[in-house]
């Protein structure tokens, strides 16, 4: 049985975002908009390299059926050199709202051996909740390590984010 397109507006939309960055010496470690000042390595990237916010941005855009992060903010554009990834999240939220949709829940998994996520998990949840316009209990952050399964010569941070959107108006 095929449903009329208007019926689909009442169903939630889910988006999955992933990102991966090498961690290198000499780069500030910014994840989820939080600075890990005590970490000697940071994500390498054209922007600030915040893999957490990149994955969240892609999850938002994907759930809304919009273009991805790399299409909207190309990594070869001078305007994005060193750019704060918070800008990407805010623009994704604007485009989501323009489509009559609202973010209602966000779940994020951060894989890295350093920095350790657990000691800053509350700060990460608070910063991301604020940035995404969500109550604290609608954002979950989980930190995982690679359990010595990766080549120690190449450190990375890998992030997966899932966003749940609902329609604020019919036809969205």
């Amino acid at each position: 049985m095929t449903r009329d397109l208007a019926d689909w507006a009442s169903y939630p939309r889910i988006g999955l975002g992933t990102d991966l960055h090498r961690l290198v010496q000499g780069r500030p470690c910014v994840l989820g908009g939080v600075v890990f000042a005590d970490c000697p390595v940071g994500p390498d990237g054209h922007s600030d390299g915040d893999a957490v916010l990149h994955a969240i941005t892609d999850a938002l855009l994907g759930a809304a059926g919009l273009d991805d992060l790399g299409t909207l903010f190309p990594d070869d554009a001078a305007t994005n050199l060193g750019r704060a990834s918070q800008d990407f999240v805010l623009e994704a939220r604007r485009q989501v709202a323009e489509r009559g949709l609202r973010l209602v829940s966000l779940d994020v998994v951060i894989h890295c051996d350093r920095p350790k996520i657990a000691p800053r998990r509350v700060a990460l949840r608070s910063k991301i909740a604020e940035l995404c316009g969500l109550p604290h209990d609608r954002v979950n952050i989980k930190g995982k390590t690679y359990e010595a399964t990766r080549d120690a010569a190449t450190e990375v941070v890998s992030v997966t984010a899932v966003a749940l959107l609902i329609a604020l108006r019919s036809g969205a």
Side-chain angles (χ1 to χ4, degrees), residues 71-103:
T71 302
L72 293 177
F73 304 102
D75 65 4
D76 58 358
T79 55
N80 296 324
L81 182 61
R83 189 168 179 181
S85 296
Q86 294 179 37
D87 292 351
F88 305 151
V89 174
L90 294 173
E91 176 59 17
R93 283 189 61 205
R94 186 191 69 72
Q95 289 190 27
V96 163
E98 226 174 52
R99 296 207 51 181
L101 301 167
R102 179 185 176 141
L103 176 63

Side-chain angles (χ1 to χ4, degrees), residues 14-21 31 50-60 106-112 128 139-144 146 157-163:
I14 191 164
L16 176 68
T18 64
D19 200 36
L20 173 77
H21 284 268
L31 296 172
D50 190 331
V52 174
L53 296 185
H54 293 177
I56 290 170
T57 301
D58 262 342
L60 288 168
L106 191 59
D107 197 18
V108 181
V109 180
I110 307 167
H111 272 96
C112 58
I128 292 167
V139 175
N140 197 15
I141 304 294
K142 294 175 281 296
K144 307 289 182 184
Y146 286 106
V157 58
S158 176
V159 182
T160 303
V162 178

Side-chain angles (χ1 to χ4, degrees), residues 143-158:
K144 307 289 182 184
T145 65
Y146 286 106
E147 302 290 338
T149 60
R150 295 191 53 86
D151 175 10
T154 306
E155 278 191 272
V156 298
V157 58
S158 176

Side-chain angles (χ1 to χ4, degrees), residues 121-137:
R121 198 166 82 81
V122 171
L124 284 161
R125 283 182 83 182
S126 295
K127 180 66 176 180
I128 292 167
E130 176 188 339
L131 187 60
C132 291
L134 290 172
H136 189 263
D137 70 342

